[in-house]
Amino acid sequence: MEVIGRGFLAGNFHRISGRHPDVTVIAAGVSATGVDDPAEFARESELVRSVTDGCRRRGRTVVFFSTASHAMYGTTRVPAAEADPVTPANPYGRHKAALEGEVAARAHHWLTLRLSHVVGPHQRPHQLIPALTAQVRAGAVRLYEGAHRDLVDVVDVVDAVDALLGAGVRDQVVNIAAGTPYPIGDIVRGIETRLGRTAAREHVPAAPQRTEVSVERLRALAPDACPRGGTAYLSALLDRHVGPADCGVS
């Protein structure tokens, strides 16, 4: 496996880099759903086109990471499936949707993974769990009313991609998510419990954001690698990534 990128996601894929020798994973590009900078979008677009064209010439499969967040699916009434029509909610979602189409049109073979909010060690400070953890440590946290986030462990993402590629899945879009939209207040309370402190709340009025993602396709294609979601999954995820071993709190 060839891994393009040097950041959080790319670093986690190196543990399976000895597998799938005909696959190139594009683990680089815009990583924050709130980004709206045309220059950042242009850089990612150029990278994706260049890598995809090169892989087509060499007969390689391209793995492209898109988003299963509110940016792509908006607020849902039923779990959002890959085949459902999408109306991306912001520039980031529209950018990722456009790149999905380009990859499918240009690649020899391709696999697009729509990821929910990925959590793991060595994330950048702007990403959700590091940002909330820093706010709790500082004693004040900002909460947008009605916000929910589907959190998925990066270990589960890598395992799911490994299983899909191993099963020969190609030329499909697959959601990789817990399938559970967790209220942001529950996430903050979990962080507080693990840090042993309580932060003051600033409640910000906002339109509700609750995106529930279907993982039925992933469950059918890679049943042993599908994250199980639910409250126990969130608790275990926070234990691993906010617990004493990571933050120095005993």
Side-chain angles (χ1 to χ4, degrees):
M1 174 183 287
E2 177 186 28
V3 180
I4 306 295
R6 294 180 294 178
F8 159 65
L9 200 56
N12 280 278
F13 271 91
H14 285 302
R15 72 177 172 87
I16 63 166
S17 61
R19 297 168 58 79
H20 317 296
D22 64 335
V23 171
T24 295
V25 174
I26 306 176
V30 183
S31 63
T33 60
V35 170
D36 60 2
D37 182 355
E40 290 197 41
F41 293 154
R43 282 192 292 271
E44 181 178 16
S45 297
E46 179 57 33
L47 173 67
V48 169
R49 292 179 191 125
S50 175
V51 172
T52 302
D53 289 348
C55 288
R56 183 183 67 247
R57 292 192 293 269
R58 294 184 288 158
R60 297 178 63 80
T61 294
V62 172
V63 173
F64 172 65
F65 293 115
S66 185
T67 182
S69 68
H70 183 269
M72 178 66 73
Y73 287 124
T75 296
T76 63
R77 295 185 179 181
V78 297
E82 298 88 342
D84 294 342
V86 295
T87 305
N90 67 11
Y92 176 86
R94 292 190 287 274
H95 165 70
K96 289 293 187 180
L99 282 181
E100 288 184 7
E102 288 208 40
V103 169
R106 301 170 83 109
H108 170 67
H109 286 298
W110 55 274
L111 182 62
T112 288
L113 293 317
R114 290 179 179 166
L115 308 182
S116 63
H117 294 269
V118 185
V119 179
H122 311 301
Q123 284 192 287
R124 295 178 180 179
H126 73 264
Q127 293 177 300
L128 183 68
I129 294 302
L132 289 177
T133 300
Q135 289 181 52
V136 170
R137 286 187 181 135
V141 63
R142 175 176 291 184
L143 298 179
Y144 288 87
E145 293 179 2
H148 294 68
R149 294 293 184 269
D150 182 315
L151 305 183
V152 63
D153 197 302
V154 70
V155 171
D156 294 327
V157 171
V158 174
D159 287 346
V161 175
D162 190 24
L164 290 167
L165 292 172
V169 178
R170 301 292 189 275
D171 306 333
Q172 292 200 52
V173 178
V174 183
N175 291 330
I176 300 181
T180 303
Y182 301 106
I184 199 73
D186 290 357
I187 297 170
V188 169
R189 282 190 289 274
I191 293 171
E192 289 176 324
T193 296
R194 286 154 182 83
L195 295 182
R197 61 190 70 184
T198 301
R201 265 69 165 166
E202 177 191 355
H203 292 277
V204 180
Q209 286 190 6
R210 185 183 185 279
T211 305
E212 186 172 355
V213 176
S214 172
V215 292
E216 291 306 309
R217 179 174 290 181
L218 177 60
R219 186 171 289 121
L221 295 171
D224 295 333
C226 183
R228 299 304 174 186
T231 56
Y233 183 83
L234 175 62
S235 180
L237 182 149
L238 294 177
D239 282 344
R240 285 190 294 274
H241 302 305
V242 185
D246 291 323
C247 65
V249 175
S250 61

